[in-house]
Coordinates of all heavy atoms in Angstrom, one line a residue:
M1 N 64.8 82.7 18.3 CA 63.7 82.1 19.0 C 63.7 80.6 19.0 O 63.5 79.9 20.0 CB 62.3 82.6 18.4 CG 61.2 82.3 19.3 SD 61.2 83.2 20.8 CE 59.6 83.5 21.1
M2 N 64.0 80.0 17.9 CA 64.1 78.6 17.7 C 65.3 78.0 18.5 O 65.2 77.0 19.1 CB 64.3 78.3 16.2 CG 64.3 76.8 15.9 SD 62.6 76.2 16.1 CE 62.8 74.6 15.2
S3 N 66.4 78.7 18.5 CA 67.6 78.2 19.2 C 67.3 78.2 20.8 O 67.8 77.3 21.5 CB 68.8 79.0 18.9 OG 68.7 80.3 19.4
A4 N 66.6 79.2 21.3 CA 66.3 79.2 22.7 C 65.4 78.0 23.1 O 65.7 77.4 24.1 CB 65.6 80.5 23.0
T5 N 64.5 77.7 22.3 CA 63.6 76.6 22.6 C 64.4 75.3 22.5 O 64.2 74.4 23.3 CB 62.4 76.5 21.5 OG1 61.7 77.8 21.5 CG2 61.5 75.4 21.8
F6 N 65.2 75.2 21.5 CA 66.1 74.0 21.3 C 67.0 73.8 22.6 O 67.2 72.7 23.1 CB 66.9 74.1 20.1 CG 67.7 72.9 19.8 CD1 67.1 71.7 19.4 CD2 69.1 72.9 19.8 CE1 67.9 70.6 19.1 CE2 69.9 71.8 19.6 CZ 69.2 70.6 19.2
T7 N 67.6 74.9 23.0 CA 68.4 74.9 24.2 C 67.7 74.4 25.4 O 68.2 73.6 26.2 CB 69.1 76.3 24.5 OG1 69.7 76.7 23.3 CG2 70.0 76.3 25.6
I8 N 66.5 74.9 25.6 CA 65.6 74.5 26.8 C 65.3 73.0 26.7 O 65.4 72.3 27.7 CB 64.4 75.4 26.8 CG1 64.7 76.8 27.2 CG2 63.4 74.8 27.8 CD1 63.6 77.8 27.1
V9 N 65.0 72.5 25.5 CA 64.7 71.1 25.4 C 65.9 70.3 25.7 O 65.8 69.3 26.4 CB 64.2 70.8 23.9 CG1 64.1 69.3 23.7 CG2 62.8 71.5 23.7
L10 N 67.1 70.7 25.2 CA 68.3 70.0 25.5 C 68.6 70.0 27.0 O 69.1 69.0 27.6 CB 69.5 70.6 24.8 CG 69.6 70.3 23.3 CD1 70.8 70.9 22.7 CD2 69.7 68.8 23.1
E11 N 68.4 71.1 27.7 CA 68.6 71.2 29.1 C 67.6 70.3 29.9 O 68.0 69.6 30.8 CB 68.4 72.6 29.6 CG 69.5 73.6 29.2 CD 69.3 75.0 29.6 OE1 68.2 75.3 30.2 OE2 70.2 75.8 29.3
I12 N 66.4 70.2 29.4 CA 65.4 69.3 30.1 C 65.8 67.9 29.9 O 65.8 67.0 30.8 CB 64.0 69.6 29.5 CG1 63.5 70.9 30.0 CG2 63.0 68.5 29.9 CD1 62.2 71.4 29.4
I13 N 66.3 67.5 28.7 CA 66.8 66.1 28.4 C 68.0 65.8 29.3 O 68.1 64.7 29.9 CB 67.1 66.0 26.9 CG1 65.8 66.0 26.1 CG2 67.9 64.7 26.7 CD1 66.0 66.0 24.6
A14 N 68.9 66.8 29.5 CA 70.1 66.6 30.3 C 69.7 66.4 31.8 O 70.3 65.5 32.5 CB 71.0 67.8 30.2
I15 N 68.7 67.1 32.2 CA 68.3 67.0 33.6 C 67.7 65.6 33.8 O 68.0 65.0 34.8 CB 67.3 68.1 34.0 CG1 68.0 69.5 34.1 CG2 66.5 67.8 35.3 CD1 67.1 70.7 34.2
F16 N 66.8 65.2 32.9 CA 66.2 63.9 33.1 C 67.2 62.8 33.0 O 67.1 61.8 33.7 CB 65.1 63.7 32.0 CG 63.8 64.3 32.4 CD1 63.2 65.3 31.7 CD2 63.1 63.8 33.5 CE1 62.0 65.8 32.0 CE2 61.9 64.4 33.9 CZ 61.3 65.4 33.2
A17 N 68.2 62.9 32.1 CA 69.3 61.9 32.0 C 70.1 61.8 33.3 O 70.4 60.7 33.8 CB 70.2 62.3 30.9
S18 N 70.4 63.0 33.9 CA 71.2 62.9 35.2 C 70.3 62.4 36.3 O 70.8 61.6 37.1 CB 71.7 64.3 35.5 OG 70.6 65.2 35.8
L19 N 69.0 62.7 36.3 CA 68.1 62.1 37.3 C 68.0 60.6 37.2 O 67.9 59.9 38.2 CB 66.8 62.8 37.3 CG 66.7 64.3 37.8 CD1 65.3 64.8 37.6 CD2 67.1 64.3 39.3
S20 N 67.9 60.1 35.9 CA 67.7 58.7 35.7 C 69.0 58.0 36.1 O 69.0 56.9 36.7 CB 67.3 58.4 34.3 OG 68.4 58.7 33.4
S21 N 70.2 58.6 35.9 CA 71.4 58.1 36.3 C 71.5 58.0 37.8 O 72.0 57.0 38.3 CB 72.6 58.9 35.7 OG 73.8 58.5 36.2
L22 N 71.1 59.0 38.5 CA 71.1 59.0 39.9 C 70.1 57.9 40.5 O 70.5 57.2 41.4 CB 70.7 60.4 40.4 CG 70.5 60.6 41.9 CD1 71.9 60.3 42.6 CD2 70.0 61.9 42.3
A23 N 69.0 57.8 39.8 CA 68.0 56.8 40.2 C 68.6 55.4 40.1 O 68.4 54.5 41.0 CB 66.7 56.9 39.5
L24 N 69.3 55.1 39.0 CA 69.9 53.8 38.8 C 71.0 53.5 39.8 O 71.1 52.4 40.3 CB 70.5 53.7 37.4 CG 69.5 53.6 36.2 CD1 70.2 53.6 34.9 CD2 68.7 52.3 36.4
T25 N 71.8 54.6 40.2 CA 72.8 54.4 41.2 C 72.2 54.1 42.5 O 72.6 53.2 43.2 CB 73.6 55.7 41.3 OG1 74.2 56.0 40.0 CG2 74.7 55.6 42.3
L26 N 71.1 54.8 42.9 CA 70.4 54.6 44.2 C 69.8 53.2 44.2 O 69.8 52.5 45.2 CB 69.4 55.6 44.4 CG 69.9 57.0 44.7 CD1 68.8 58.0 44.8 CD2 70.8 57.0 46.0
L27 N 69.2 52.7 43.1 CA 68.6 51.4 43.0 C 69.7 50.3 43.2 O 69.5 49.4 43.9 CB 67.9 51.3 41.7 CG 67.2 49.9 41.4 CD1 66.0 49.8 42.5 CD2 66.6 49.9 40.0
S28 N 70.8 50.5 42.5 CA 71.8 49.4 42.7 C 72.4 49.5 44.1 O 72.8 48.4 44.6 CB 72.9 49.6 41.6 OG 73.6 50.8 41.8
A29 N 72.5 50.6 44.7 CA 73.0 50.7 46.0 C 72.0 50.0 47.0 O 72.5 49.4 47.9 CB 73.2 52.2 46.4
S30 N 70.8 50.2 46.8 CA 69.8 49.6 47.7 C 69.8 48.1 47.5 O 69.7 47.3 48.5 CB 68.4 50.1 47.5 OG 67.9 49.7 46.2
R31 N 70.0 47.6 46.3 CA 70.1 46.1 46.1 C 71.4 45.6 46.7 O 71.3 44.5 47.3 CB 70.2 45.8 44.6 CG 68.8 46.0 43.9 CD 68.9 45.6 42.4 NE 67.7 45.8 41.8 CZ 67.5 45.8 40.4 NH1 68.6 45.7 39.7 NH2 66.3 46.0 39.9
E32 N 72.5 46.3 46.6 CA 73.7 45.8 47.3 C 73.6 45.8 48.8 O 74.0 44.9 49.5 CB 74.9 46.7 46.8 CG 76.2 46.3 47.3 CD 76.6 45.0 46.7 OE1 76.2 44.6 45.6 OE2 77.4 44.2 47.4
S33 N 72.9 46.8 49.3 CA 72.6 46.9 50.8 C 71.8 45.7 51.2 O 72.0 45.1 52.2 CB 71.9 48.2 51.1 OG 71.6 48.2 52.5
A34 N 70.8 45.3 50.4 CA 69.9 44.2 50.7 C 70.8 42.9 50.7 O 70.6 42.0 51.5 CB 68.8 44.1 49.8
R35 N 71.7 42.8 49.7 CA 72.5 41.6 49.6 C 73.4 41.5 50.8 O 73.7 40.4 51.4 CB 73.4 41.7 48.3 CG 73.0 40.7 47.3 CD 73.9 40.8 46.1 NE 73.2 41.7 45.2 CZ 73.8 42.3 44.2 NH1 75.0 42.1 43.9 NH2 73.1 43.1 43.4
L36 N 74.0 42.6 51.3 CA 74.9 42.6 52.4 C 74.1 42.3 53.7 O 74.6 41.5 54.5 CB 75.5 44.0 52.6 CG 76.6 44.3 51.6 CD1 77.1 45.8 51.8 CD2 77.8 43.4 51.7
K37 N 72.9 42.7 53.8 CA 72.1 42.4 55.0 C 71.8 40.9 55.0 O 71.9 40.2 56.0 CB 70.7 43.1 55.0 CG 70.9 44.6 55.4 CD 69.6 45.3 55.3 CE 69.8 46.8 55.6 NZ 68.5 47.5 55.4
K38 N 71.5 40.3 53.8 CA 71.2 38.9 53.7 C 72.5 38.1 54.0 O 72.5 37.1 54.7 CB 70.8 38.5 52.3 CG 70.4 37.1 52.1 CD 70.0 36.8 50.7 CE 69.7 35.3 50.5 NZ 69.3 35.0 49.1
F39 N 73.7 38.6 53.6 CA 75.0 38.0 53.9 C 75.2 38.0 55.4 O 75.7 37.0 55.9 CB 76.1 38.7 53.1 CG 77.4 38.1 53.3 CD1 77.8 36.9 52.6 CD2 78.3 38.6 54.2 CE1 79.0 36.3 52.8 CE2 79.6 38.0 54.4 CZ 79.9 36.9 53.7
R40 N 74.9 39.1 56.0 CA 75.1 39.1 57.5 C 74.2 38.2 58.2 O 74.6 37.6 59.2 CB 74.9 40.6 58.0 CG 76.1 41.5 57.7 CD 75.9 42.8 58.4 NE 76.8 43.8 57.7 CZ 76.3 44.9 57.1 NH1 75.0 45.1 57.0 NH2 77.2 45.7 56.5
R41 N 73.0 38.1 57.7 CA 72.0 37.2 58.4 C 72.3 35.7 58.2 O 72.1 34.9 59.1 CB 70.6 37.6 57.9 CG 69.5 37.0 58.7 CD 68.1 37.5 58.3 NE 68.0 38.9 58.4 CZ 67.5 39.7 57.6 NH1 66.9 39.2 56.5 NH2 67.4 41.0 57.8
Y42 N 72.7 35.4 57.0 CA 73.0 34.0 56.6 C 74.4 33.9 56.0 O 74.6 33.8 54.8 CB 72.0 33.5 55.6 CG 70.6 33.6 56.0 CD1 69.8 34.6 55.4 CD2 70.0 32.8 57.0 CE1 68.4 34.8 55.7 CE2 68.7 33.0 57.3 CZ 67.9 33.9 56.7 OH 66.6 34.1 57.1
P43 N 75.4 34.0 56.9 CA 76.8 34.0 56.4 C 77.1 32.6 55.8 O 76.6 31.6 56.2 CB 77.7 34.3 57.6 CG 76.8 33.9 58.7 CD 75.4 34.1 58.3
P44 N 78.0 32.6 54.7 CA 78.3 31.3 54.1 C 79.2 30.5 55.1 O 80.0 31.0 55.9 CB 79.1 31.7 52.9 CG 79.6 33.1 53.2 CD 78.6 33.7 54.1
K45 N 79.1 29.2 55.0 CA 79.9 28.3 55.8 C 81.2 27.9 55.1 O 82.2 27.6 55.7 CB 79.1 27.1 56.1 CG 77.9 27.4 57.0 CD 77.2 26.2 57.4 CE 76.1 26.7 58.3 NZ 75.0 26.1 58.6
M46 N 81.2 28.0 53.8 CA 82.4 27.6 53.0 C 82.5 28.6 51.8 O 81.5 29.1 51.3 CB 82.4 26.2 52.5 CG 82.5 25.2 53.6 SD 82.5 23.6 52.8 CE 83.9 22.8 53.5
L47 N 83.7 28.8 51.4 CA 84.0 29.6 50.2 C 84.9 28.8 49.3 O 85.9 28.3 49.7 CB 84.6 30.9 50.6 CG 84.9 31.9 49.5 CD1 83.6 32.3 48.9 CD2 85.6 33.1 50.1
V48 N 84.4 28.6 48.1 CA 85.2 27.8 47.1 C 85.7 28.8 46.0 O 84.9 29.5 45.4 CB 84.3 26.7 46.4 CG1 85.1 26.0 45.4 CG2 83.8 25.8 47.5
V49 N 87.0 28.8 45.8 CA 87.6 29.8 44.9 C 88.5 29.0 44.0 O 89.3 28.1 44.4 CB 88.4 30.8 45.7 CG1 89.1 31.8 44.7 CG2 87.6 31.6 46.7
E50 N 88.5 29.4 42.7 CA 89.5 28.8 41.7 C 90.4 29.9 41.3 O 90.0 31.0 40.9 CB 88.7 28.3 40.5 CG 89.6 27.6 39.5 CD 88.9 27.1 38.3 OE1 87.7 27.1 38.3 OE2 89.6 26.6 37.4
D51 N 91.7 29.7 41.5 CA 92.7 30.7 41.1 C 93.0 30.6 39.6 O 92.4 29.8 38.9 CB 94.0 30.6 42.0 CG 94.7 29.3 41.8 OD1 94.4 28.5 40.8 OD2 95.7 29.1 42.5
K52 N 93.9 31.5 39.2 CA 94.2 31.6 37.8 C 94.8 30.4 37.2 O 94.6 30.1 36.0 CB 95.2 32.8 37.5 CG 94.6 34.1 37.8 CD 95.6 35.2 37.7 CE 95.1 36.6 38.1 NZ 96.1 37.6 38.0
S53 N 95.5 29.6 38.0 CA 96.1 28.4 37.5 C 95.2 27.2 37.5 O 95.6 26.1 37.2 CB 97.4 28.1 38.2 OG 97.1 27.9 39.6
G54 N 94.0 27.4 38.0 CA 93.0 26.3 38.0 C 92.9 25.5 39.3 O 92.2 24.5 39.4
H55 N 93.7 25.9 40.3 CA 93.7 25.3 41.6 C 92.4 25.7 42.4 O 92.0 26.8 42.4 CB 94.9 25.6 42.5 CG 96.2 25.1 41.9 ND1 97.0 25.9 41.2 CD2 96.7 23.9 41.9 CE1 98.0 25.2 40.8 NE2 97.9 23.9 41.2
I56 N 91.7 24.7 43.0 CA 90.5 25.0 43.8 C 90.9 25.1 45.2 O 91.6 24.3 45.8 CB 89.5 23.8 43.6 CG1 89.1 23.6 42.2 CG2 88.3 24.1 44.5 CD1 88.3 24.7 41.6
V57 N 90.5 26.2 45.8 CA 90.8 26.4 47.3 C 89.4 26.5 48.0 O 88.5 27.2 47.6 CB 91.5 27.8 47.5 CG1 91.7 28.0 48.9 CG2 92.8 27.8 46.7
V58 N 89.2 25.6 49.0 CA 88.0 25.6 49.8 C 88.3 26.1 51.1 O 89.2 25.6 51.8 CB 87.4 24.1 49.9 CG1 86.2 24.1 50.7 CG2 87.2 23.6 48.5
L59 N 87.6 27.2 51.5 CA 87.9 27.8 52.8 C 86.7 27.6 53.7 O 85.6 27.8 53.4 CB 88.1 29.3 52.6 CG 89.3 29.7 51.7 CD1 89.2 31.2 51.4 CD2 90.6 29.3 52.3
D60 N 87.0 27.1 54.9 CA 86.0 26.8 55.9 C 85.9 28.1 56.8 O 86.8 28.5 57.4 CB 86.4 25.6 56.8 CG 85.3 25.3 57.8 OD1 84.2 25.8 57.7 OD2 85.6 24.5 58.7
L61 N 84.7 28.7 56.7 CA 84.5 30.0 57.4 C 83.9 29.9 58.8 O 83.6 30.9 59.4 CB 83.6 30.9 56.5 CG 84.2 31.3 55.2 CD1 83.2 32.1 54.4 CD2 85.6 31.9 55.3
E62 N 83.8 28.7 59.3 CA 83.2 28.6 60.6 C 84.3 28.5 61.7 O 83.9 28.4 62.9 CB 82.3 27.3 60.7 CG 81.1 27.4 59.9 CD 80.1 26.3 60.0 OE1 80.4 25.2 59.5 OE2 79.1 26.4 60.8
K63 N 85.5 28.5 61.4 CA 86.6 28.4 62.3 C 86.9 29.7 63.0 O 86.4 30.7 62.6 CB 87.9 27.9 61.6 CG 87.7 26.4 61.1 CD 89.0 26.0 60.5 CE 88.8 24.6 59.9 NZ 90.0 24.2 59.2
Q64 N 87.7 29.7 64.0 CA 88.0 30.9 64.7 C 88.8 31.9 63.9 O 88.8 33.1 64.1 CB 88.8 30.6 66.0 CG 87.9 29.9 67.1 CD 88.7 29.6 68.3 OE1 89.9 29.7 68.3 NE2 88.0 29.3 69.4
D65 N 89.6 31.4 62.9 CA 90.5 32.2 62.2 C 89.8 32.7 60.9 O 90.4 32.7 59.8 CB 91.8 31.6 61.9 CG 91.7 30.3 61.1 OD1 90.5 29.8 61.0 OD2 92.7 29.8 60.6
D66 N 88.5 33.1 61.0 CA 87.8 33.5 59.8 C 88.5 34.7 59.1 O 88.6 34.7 57.8 CB 86.4 34.0 60.1 CG 85.5 32.8 60.5 OD1 85.9 31.6 60.2 OD2 84.4 33.0 61.0
A67 N 89.0 35.6 59.8 CA 89.7 36.8 59.2 C 90.9 36.3 58.4 O 91.1 36.8 57.3 CB 90.1 37.8 60.3
Q68 N 91.7 35.4 59.0 CA 92.8 34.9 58.2 C 92.4 34.2 57.0 O 93.0 34.3 55.9 CB 93.7 33.9 59.1 CG 94.4 34.6 60.2 CD 95.4 35.7 59.7 OE1 96.0 35.4 58.7 NE2 95.4 36.8 60.4
Q69 N 91.3 33.4 57.0 CA 90.8 32.7 55.9 C 90.4 33.7 54.8 O 90.6 33.5 53.6 CB 89.6 31.8 56.3 CG 89.9 30.7 57.1 CD 90.6 29.6 56.4 OE1 90.8 29.6 55.2 NE2 91.0 28.5 57.1
L70 N 89.7 34.8 55.2 CA 89.3 35.8 54.3 C 90.5 36.5 53.6 O 90.4 36.8 52.4 CB 88.3 36.8 54.9 CG 86.9 36.2 55.3 CD1 86.1 37.2 56.0 CD2 86.2 35.7 54.0
L71 N 91.5 36.8 54.4 CA 92.7 37.4 53.9 C 93.3 36.5 52.9 O 93.8 36.9 51.8 CB 93.7 37.8 55.0 CG 93.2 38.9 55.9 CD1 94.2 39.1 57.0 CD2 93.2 40.2 55.1
R72 N 93.4 35.2 53.2 CA 93.9 34.2 52.2 C 93.1 34.2 50.9 O 93.6 34.0 49.8 CB 94.0 32.8 52.9 CG 95.3 32.7 53.7 CD 95.4 31.2 54.2 NE 95.5 31.4 55.6 CZ 94.9 30.6 56.5 NH1 94.2 29.6 56.1 NH2 95.1 30.9 57.8
T73 N 91.8 34.3 51.1 CA 90.9 34.3 49.9 C 91.2 35.5 49.1 O 91.3 35.4 47.8 CB 89.4 34.4 50.4 OG1 89.2 33.3 51.2 CG2 88.5 34.4 49.2
M74 N 91.4 36.6 49.7 CA 91.8 37.8 48.9 C 93.1 37.6 48.2 O 93.3 38.1 47.0 CB 91.8 39.1 49.8 CG 90.5 39.5 50.4 SD 89.2 39.6 49.1 CE 89.8 41.0 48.2
D75 N 94.1 37.0 48.9 CA 95.3 36.7 48.2 C 95.2 35.8 47.0 O 95.8 36.0 46.0 CB 96.3 36.1 49.2 CG 96.8 37.1 50.2 OD1 96.7 38.3 50.0 OD2 97.4 36.7 51.3
V76 N 94.3 34.8 47.1 CA 94.1 33.9 46.0 C 93.4 34.7 44.9 O 93.8 34.5 43.7 CB 93.2 32.7 46.5 CG1 92.7 31.9 45.3 CG2 94.0 31.8 47.4
L77 N 92.4 35.5 45.2 CA 91.7 36.2 44.2 C 92.6 37.2 43.5 O 92.5 37.4 42.3 CB 90.5 36.9 44.8 CG 89.4 36.0 45.2 CD1 88.3 36.9 45.9 CD2 88.7 35.3 44.1
L78 N 93.5 37.8 44.2 CA 94.5 38.8 43.6 C 95.7 38.1 43.0 O 96.5 38.8 42.4 CB 94.9 39.8 44.7 CG 93.8 40.7 45.2 CD1 94.3 41.5 46.4 CD2 93.2 41.5 44.2
G79 N 95.8 36.8 43.1 CA 96.9 36.1 42.5 C 98.2 36.2 43.2 O 99.3 36.1 42.6
K80 N 98.2 36.5 44.5 CA 99.4 36.6 45.3 C 99.9 35.3 45.9 O 99.2 34.4 46.1 CB 99.2 37.7 46.4 CG 99.0 39.0 45.9 CD 98.9 40.0 47.0 CE 98.7 41.4 46.4 NZ 98.5 42.4 47.4

């Protein structure tokens, strides 16, 4: 009798733990979505990146070649 009650309590704890984990995931996803909406509404004009060797790269994002600038940024961040 005692072990059945203990098992039920453990199952309830496991259910609440998984629900709280899901809630945290949904909360962080909604925050990230809000950040992306803000980024789309107010895109940055410049991006300043420091690579591993300490070089500073300033990228102007208002030019026509924004995609190329962003690809170069990714290369800098990845150390390529």
Side-chain angles (χ1 to χ4, degrees):
M1 191 68 144
M2 183 76 164
S3 68
T5 305
F6 185 70
T7 305
I8 291 172
V9 169
L10 285 179
E11 287 176 0
I12 290 172
I13 290 172
I15 289 170
F16 278 116
S18 64
L19 287 176
S20 66
S21 174
L22 177 63
L24 288 175
T25 303
L26 291 174
L27 182 63
S28 67
S30 69
R31 285 183 182 165
E32 186 65 27
S33 176
R35 250 182 267 164
L36 288 174
K37 285 178 186 173
K38 183 179 178 184
F39 182 79
R40 284 189 199 115
R41 193 173 298 139
Y42 306 106
K45 295 183 178 165
M46 292 181 130
L47 184 61
V48 180
V49 180
E50 182 178 358
D51 65 7
K52 293 177 186 175
S53 61
H55 295 100
I56 302 291
V57 179
V58 178
L59 301 172
D60 184 9
L61 299 178
E62 291 186 284
K63 296 181 181 174
Q64 290 180 347
D65 59 346
D66 287 348
Q68 291 298 322
Q69 292 286 356
L70 290 173
L71 289 174
R72 277 187 236 136
T73 303
M74 294 307 295
D75 287 343
V76 168
L77 291 174
L78 296 173
K80 293 183 177 180

